[in-house]
């Protein structure tokens, strides 16, 4: 029998938290509720959850600030819930390390799909069998080295701090060098869904990667925008 994956629901509205917990519990997950940021940090320390559902509006701390604190020493996938649908919330949430974002009201079926997709990605990263290096395991682009097997990126020998999703997006683009992908194609390839995906997520992640990777993010050397179509990874020797 497969073990239950542990999910922490950080939500102060008890009715919403209970509905989410009941639904995902019926679908085979072990769910715990924390009603505020203080209890959430304690629950993370004690339970070591494998997925976090985080509401932005909490009584004691802003959810985006809590996301930032969690990310300081934990790479657990985080999905932000918000009653505020503004792009500002989305940019801030993803910028501080959230892996996904949904706006209230939301579909429980969609939420479950997001949970499964993110957990599959993490599982594939951890359980991938070792393989012998080949000429695509370590890629060099000028001063930048992309080590797909070691799951890290360096520039001039210094490791660049990227979130799991930022790494996956960069790996995918660099693996298909000079190939143009639309936002929906990138959502499908990296997040594993298109029906529920918000294409503005890709815009946010591309911006974040450029800020960390490029000398001049406004004039990118590696990830190029192909206007009206999408993005490609390109490097001129």
């Amino acid at each position: 029998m497969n073990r239950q994956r542990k999910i922490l629901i950080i939500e102060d509205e008890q009715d919403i938290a209970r509905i989410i917990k009941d639904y995902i519990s019926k679908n085979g997950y072990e769910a715990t509720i924390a009603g505020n940021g203080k209890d959430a940090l304690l629950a993370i320390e004690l339970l070591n959850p494998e997925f976090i559902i985080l509401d932005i509006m909490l009584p004691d701390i802003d959810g985006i600030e809590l996301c930032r604190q969690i990310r300081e020493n934990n790479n657990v996938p985080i999905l932000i819930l918000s009653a505020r649908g503004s792009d500002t919330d989305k940019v801030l949430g993803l910028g501080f390390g959230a892996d996904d974002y949904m706006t209230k009201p939301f579909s429980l079926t969609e939420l479950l799909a997001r949970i499964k997709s993110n957990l599959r990605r993490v599982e594939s990263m951890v359980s991938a069998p070792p393989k012998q290096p080949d000429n695509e395991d370590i890629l060099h682009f000028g001063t930048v080295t992309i080590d797909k097997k070691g799951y890290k990126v360096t520039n001039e020998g210094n490791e660049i701090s990227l979130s799991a999703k930022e790494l996956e997006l960069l790996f995918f683009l660099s693996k298909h060098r000079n190939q143009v992908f639309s936002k929906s194609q990138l959502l499908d390839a990296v997040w594993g869904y298109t029906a529920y995906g918000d294409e503005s997520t890709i815009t946010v992640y591309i911006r974040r990667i450029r800020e960390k990777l490029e000398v001049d993010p406004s004039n990118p050397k590696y990830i190029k925008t192909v206007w009206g179509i999408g993005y490609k990874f390109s490097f001129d020797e």
Side-chain angles (χ1 to χ4, degrees):
M1 182 178 179
N2 293 333
R3 69 177 181 85
Q4 290 184 314
R5 311 295 291 273
K6 293 182 289 185
I7 297 179
L8 177 62
I9 304 163
I10 308 173
E11 169 64 73
D12 65 316
E13 295 187 49
Q14 294 184 6
D15 290 344
I16 294 177
R18 178 60 59 182
I19 289 171
I20 295 173
K21 179 180 179 180
D22 289 347
Y23 186 79
I24 63 179
S25 295
K26 289 177 182 177
N27 282 276
Y29 296 96
E30 178 184 334
T32 301
I33 296 172
N36 57 59
K38 181 180 178 181
D39 289 348
L41 291 173
L42 180 61
I44 291 169
E45 182 177 348
L46 294 176
L47 302 175
N48 192 27
E50 293 157 276
F51 192 87
I52 291 176
I53 300 170
L54 170 60
D55 182 49
I56 282 183
M57 300 295 290
L58 296 173
D60 58 340
I61 184 173
D62 183 82
I64 291 175
E65 170 59 21
L66 180 59
C67 180
R68 186 193 65 78
Q69 291 184 24
I70 294 170
R71 269 293 169 264
E72 287 181 351
N73 53 19
N74 198 315
N75 287 322
V76 59
I78 298 173
L79 182 147
I80 283 183
L81 291 178
S82 176
R84 301 177 291 182
S86 71
D87 287 340
T88 301
D89 280 344
K90 188 169 299 182
V91 170
L92 286 174
L94 295 174
F96 279 120
D99 297 276
D100 214 340
Y101 185 102
M102 291 181 68
T103 303
K104 297 177 182 177
F106 56 88
S107 159
L108 289 170
T109 303
E110 176 182 347
L111 176 62
L112 184 63
R114 302 281 188 102
I115 293 170
K116 289 180 177 179
S117 175
N118 280 284
L119 287 175
R120 277 198 304 268
R121 293 289 172 180
V122 173
E123 189 173 75
S124 66
M125 287 160 48
V126 173
S127 61
K131 62 178 183 177
Q132 293 299 315
D134 58 36
N135 60 1
E136 290 190 350
D137 279 335
I138 300 179
L139 303 177
H140 299 280
F141 303 98
T143 60
V144 173
T145 298
I146 300 176
D147 182 352
K148 297 178 182 179
K149 186 178 180 182
Y151 222 74
K152 67 179 181 179
V153 178
T154 59
N155 191 358
E156 296 183 343
N158 300 312
E159 187 167 352
I160 299 172
S161 178
L162 297 173
S163 71
K165 278 293 186 289
E166 289 168 352
L167 281 167
E168 289 181 47
L169 181 55
L170 179 59
F171 290 166
F172 179 81
L173 286 168
S174 63
K175 178 182 177 181
H176 302 88
R177 181 178 176 183
N178 293 322
Q179 185 173 341
V180 181
F181 294 93
S182 67
K183 292 178 182 179
S184 63
Q185 287 174 320
L186 293 173
L187 272 174
D188 188 39
V190 177
W191 277 259
Y193 53 83
T194 52
Y196 306 124
D198 187 336
E199 293 185 0
S200 62
T201 299
I202 298 298
T203 305
V204 173
Y205 271 85
I206 293 294
R207 179 182 62 81
R208 293 288 298 176
I209 295 171
R210 283 172 172 167
E211 288 176 350
K212 298 175 181 181
L213 185 67
E214 305 279 0
V215 174
D216 181 6
S218 63
N219 185 28
K221 186 176 182 179
Y222 301 101
I223 300 180
K224 308 289 182 63
T225 299
V226 182
W227 296 106
I229 302 177
Y231 301 97
K232 68 175 181 177
F233 186 96
S234 178
F235 176 71
D236 298 325
E237 302 290 350

